[in-house]
Amino acid sequence: GNPVSFFEQVGGEETFHRIVARFYKEVKSDEVLLPLYPEEDLGPAEERLRLFLMQYWGGPHTYSDNRGHPRLRMRHVPFKIGPVERDAWLRCMRIAVDEAGLDEAHRKQLWDYMEMAANSLMNSFS
Ligand code: HEM
């Protein structure tokens, strides 16, 4: 039958809301990441990341209804993402994931994905 998605297993939208809000709270005081954001209001960026992650993990398809195919590599081309930017992103995300209160198996699955995804979006060696 219908396997229960990771999205549902970890608590649905509320959990993703909490994780992405915590991530952006950290971005707001990160001197590497904050200057990359084209808009002063991080609210819309927060919503896009939340909807993307919800969709990726088996939740509603709202991200693609609004934004089309994710094409994340293409969408990150305007931003220089080298090792410093990747590490800053993962630093913020690590706090968010660790504080989300997931059980260890789900925490590890989510974290492994974040590391893989951040590495895959690098577009600079410096
Ligand atoms: C958008 C930076 C990694 C998902 C953005 C934006 C910036 C950015 C500056 C534009 C903000 C906006 O939407 O207005 C970075 C940096 C990363 C990184 C420095 C370091 C590796 C990731 C990862 C994911 C991700 C790993 C997914 C797991 C997204 C999504 C958007 C976005 C979904 C919005 C795309 C759209 O619909 O336009 N990112 N990002 N990013 N990022 Fe990242």
Side-chain angles (χ1 to χ4, degrees):
N2 227 354
V4 176
S5 64
F6 182 96
F7 171 78
E8 288 171 59
Q9 288 174 40
V10 299
E13 175 154 17
E14 191 190 309
T15 298
F16 285 86
H17 196 286
R18 192 162 1 102
I19 292 170
V20 176
R22 185 67 187 87
F23 171 79
Y24 270 103
K25 188 181 172 204
E26 207 58 36
V27 168
K28 279 180 192 136
S29 59
D30 189 286
E31 55 189 32
V32 172
L33 295 179
L34 192 58
L36 294 179
Y37 283 83
E39 310 273 329
E40 198 177 327
D41 178 7
L42 296 181
E46 178 175 330
E47 183 177 41
R48 288 191 278 271
L49 180 57
R50 178 173 70 251
L51 292 176
F52 169 78
L53 290 171
M54 288 167 54
Q55 173 174 309
Y56 178 86
W57 290 103
H61 229 252
T62 318
Y63 176 84
S64 284
D65 293 345
N66 295 343
R67 304 287 291 163
H69 190 286
R71 300 185 200 288
L72 286 189
R73 265 194 76 80
M74 183 198 77
R75 292 194 207 263
H76 286 80
V77 164
F79 316 111
K80 179 196 169 219
I81 305 181
V84 172
E85 289 78 14
R86 175 206 53 194
D87 288 351
W89 195 96
L90 286 172
R91 185 190 70 75
C92 296
M93 190 54 86
R94 180 66 190 236
I95 294 169
V97 168
D98 282 356
E99 289 185 5
L102 306 187
D103 64 58
E104 178 51 22
H106 286 116
R107 190 203 63 77
K108 184 177 188 315
Q109 196 180 342
L110 185 56
W111 178 248
D112 287 351
Y113 165 77
M114 295 297 185
E115 283 197 308
M116 178 280 294
N119 279 312
S120 80
L121 292 177
M122 285 179 67
N123 53 28
S124 166
F125 289 104
S126 61

